[in-house]
Amino acid sequence: MYVIQNAKITNTTELNGVRCVEVAVEPAQAGDPSLLVYVAQNAYGTGLDLHRVVRNHHDLALDWYNDNQNAAFEDATAVAFENSQLVTAEQEKGQFLQSLLNYGTLNQDILSKLQK
């Protein structure tokens, strides 16, 4: 399970016609990549969903500019969550989303950004 050390909203954008809030997530465990997580309203408009997960393998010594077009950024939406003996990939995704939304006031902040 990915443990969050820090998370903050960095942008509001549109991906594939879906309005999303970009959240930069820093891991608590050494070796885990930083993430850019794109959160959007779910299809029913009743809650939030992970729209995209991007792994950030940048090295500030080499990638001193914050440019998500460079090779340090990898779209990991399809592979970010995996089945294990304890939980399914969908359960792990749900647990991560809950952990993210419970971080500080992130849930209210994301909803506020999406309603603007």
Side-chain angles (χ1 to χ4, degrees), residues 35-38 50-55 74-77 80-81:
L35 302 174
L36 291 176
V37 178
Y38 296 87
L50 290 180
H51 184 68
R52 183 176 292 168
V53 177
V54 176
R55 289 183 182 148
E74 164 200 4
D75 186 346
T77 307
F81 307 100

Side-chain angles (χ1 to χ4, degrees), residues 2-43:
Y2 189 93
V3 180
I4 298 170
Q5 176 179 321
N6 189 24
K8 65 180 181 179
I9 293 173
T10 56
N11 196 9
T12 303
T13 189
E14 191 170 302
L15 297 173
N16 301 329
V18 177
R19 184 170 165 79
C20 299
V21 173
E22 180 184 83
V23 181
V25 181
E26 295 298 325
Q29 297 176 350
D32 283 348
S34 298
L35 302 174
L36 291 176
V37 178
Y38 296 87
V39 180
Q41 286 279 341
N42 66 17

Side-chain angles (χ1 to χ4, degrees), residues 92-105:
E92 185 179 9
K93 179 181 177 181
Q95 289 171 353
F96 174 78
L97 179 60
Q98 277 310 115
S99 176
L100 182 67
L101 296 177
N102 288 333
Y103 187 85
T105 61

Side-chain angles (χ1 to χ4, degrees), residues 62-77:
L62 301 173
D63 301 320
W64 48 270
Y65 50 91
N66 188 11
D67 174 11
N68 65 2
Q69 300 300 313
N70 73 44
F73 291 80
E74 164 200 4
D75 186 346
T77 307

